[in-house]
Amino acid sequence: MPECLVFRVPTRHPADVAGVMDLIASGAVAAAEIVAIFGKTEGNGCVNDFTRQLAVMALETALAGTLGCTPEAVGARVALVMSGGTEGGLSPHLLVLARRDGAPDPDTAALAIGTAFTADFQPEEIGRMAQVEATAAAVGRAMAGAGLDDPEDVHFVQVKCPLLTSARIGEAAARGRTVSTHDTYASMGLSRGASALGIALALGEVDGADLSDAVIGARRDLYSGRASASAGIELMRNEVIVLGNARGWSGPHAIAHRVMRDGIDGLAIHGVLSDLRFSVAGQLAPDDAERVVALLAKAEPSHDGLIRGRRHIMNDDSDINATRHARALVGGVAAAVIGRTDLFVSGGAEHQGPDGGGPVAIIARVRD
């Protein structure tokens, strides 16, 4: 029966692929079984964060050598989602997700994974309905590949999406096209927002009649409670990874999620742990912490400058970008609950949870 394998490995620098290669060399996973790799790299998470591209290139090159193909062929089959920014105490690391096939068993339910890619976008499509609709279609294909027929069984959808650069804006202008914004940093938020609304549309969390170019980045009441989108310079398509619990899958892992109402909502994390049958009142004991294979969360400063009525300065700091503050805040709250710092906390939560909050999901070993 299909099994989703999940491994967490530390990295010493963005191009460090030794942990992944050790997994393959040990026989823990075959290179051909790997379908996705999430990574937290120690860049700034902004437009010029090339640690993401460096990590992707290193992984594609290493896996190509093992698979006997070109790096481009690896990129066509493996979703490589690099999220820049490990502010505060967050630890750079990689999450390796693989699918091992076998005979399905309809009587079991376990962690399931599906992936899909959109076609490359034109610059003028980024942050607009074309990206929303293409993402929704890709989520549907990924769900079908994972055997997730009911959207309620989906607990987390990760998308890696593109952004605009001056060169890309110029290329569109040369063809007589206009783009969603000329602010390259703002394009990251619009791309994430369009991707998140595509996820929300696919999962039935929003009504398609409410969606248009004008609402992207503007209607904060429209969001997905299971979407995570990370924008980067290293691609022009959306790479979609759907995670849920599906019958017919085996293995020791399961996933659950909740929505943090703000950056200090540790109770939401406790709720996810409870859903996964952990018993915890404060911080997880070390043995239980190791049963948590991955924590995946979004971080976003609230637009009103308040957290539960108290003022924060994340949006007013001209020295450090607000999303970097938010990653450090949510990372600290999550680490205080889990008892570890190698957590996948991604900044920029446009249409990903309520204003100032965001989805949080945990993959854990729930059976031997």
Side-chain angles (χ1 to χ4, degrees):
M1 62 191 73
E3 178 181 356
C4 181
L5 311 175
V6 188
F7 305 92
R8 185 183 68 254
V9 296
T11 57
R12 296 165 296 175
H13 51 77
D16 181 13
V17 298
V20 178
M21 293 299 101
D22 287 346
L23 288 174
I24 295 170
S26 70
V29 65
E33 294 173 329
I34 297 173
V35 295
I37 300 178
F38 291 11
K40 283 303 299 181
T41 65
E42 57 263 45
N44 61 26
C46 298
V47 174
N48 65 332
D49 183 352
F50 295 103
T51 66
R52 297 173 301 216
Q53 189 169 22
L54 176 58
V56 167
M57 291 174 61
L59 287 165
E60 287 179 342
T61 301
L63 290 174
T66 303
L67 292 168
C69 64
T70 65
E72 292 76 16
V74 173
R77 61 181 288 179
V78 181
L80 299 171
V81 178
M82 300 298 121
S83 173
T86 51
E87 295 82 4
L90 290 171
S91 299
H93 67 286
L94 297 173
L95 295 170
V96 180
L97 295 101
R99 173 174 172 150
R100 181 167 290 165
D101 288 325
D105 182 350
D107 295 327
T108 66
L111 178 66
I113 184 171
T115 62
F117 306 135
T118 69
D120 280 0
F121 293 110
Q122 294 290 344
E124 62 268 22
E125 294 177 316
I126 294 173
R128 289 177 168 159
M129 282 300 297
Q131 190 175 15
V132 173
E133 292 162 352
T135 303
V139 172
R141 295 194 301 272
M143 287 175 61
L148 290 161
D149 302 319
D150 187 347
E152 292 302 311
D153 293 330
V154 175
H155 288 276
F156 202 76
V157 182
Q158 177 68 50
V159 170
K160 186 67 185 183
C161 54
L163 53 82
L164 291 173
T165 63
S166 295
R168 292 170 183 175
I169 293 169
E171 187 270 322
R175 292 185 289 104
R177 303 291 184 176
T178 61
V179 293
S180 58
T181 179
H182 282 249
D183 183 330
T184 57
Y185 183 78
S187 78
M188 298 179 73
L190 290 173
S191 182
R192 289 190 297 256
S195 300
L197 287 174
I199 295 168
L201 182 61
L203 299 182
E205 296 173 293
V206 299
D207 189 332
D210 291 329
L211 301 181
S212 67
D213 287 350
V215 308
I216 299 171
R219 284 277 305 273
R220 297 190 187 103
D221 59 312
L222 299 174
Y223 62 81
S224 170
R226 290 167 281 178
S228 173
S230 179
I233 200 170
E234 66 272 18
L235 78 175
M236 283 299 289
R237 67 182 180 182
N238 273 16
E239 301 189 352
V240 176
I241 304 163
V242 171
L243 295 167
N245 300 312
R247 291 203 169 275
W249 287 70
S250 67
H253 299 111
I255 185 171
H257 84 282
R258 297 260 181 131
V259 178
M260 297 177 69
R261 64 188 177 102
D262 54 36
I264 59 173
D265 190 4
L267 290 179
I269 302 173
H270 278 98
V272 181
L273 292 169
S274 177
D275 293 341
L276 292 168
R277 302 196 297 274
F278 285 83
S279 178
V280 57
Q283 187 176 96
L284 286 179
D287 287 347
D288 281 340
E290 285 307 310
R291 287 174 52 209
V292 173
V293 182
L295 180 141
L296 309 156
K298 290 301 297 186
E300 176 81 359
S302 58
H303 285 78
D304 63 5
L306 301 174
I307 299 177
R308 303 189 191 183
R310 273 78 172 181
R311 186 171 71 93
H312 69 72
I313 56 85
M314 289 186 275
N315 297 321
D316 301 326
D317 189 341
S318 298
D319 296 317
I320 301 174
N321 188 273
T323 57
R324 306 191 73 185
H325 278 291
R327 275 192 296 267
L329 173 63
V330 174
V333 171
V337 176
I338 302 300
R340 280 206 333 265
T341 58
D342 45 357
L343 310 171
F344 190 91
V345 179
S346 173
E350 301 84 359
H351 301 295
Q352 301 153 73
D355 185 34
V360 58
I362 290 174
I363 299 172
R365 189 174 69 252
V366 297
R367 61 184 73 87
D368 292 331

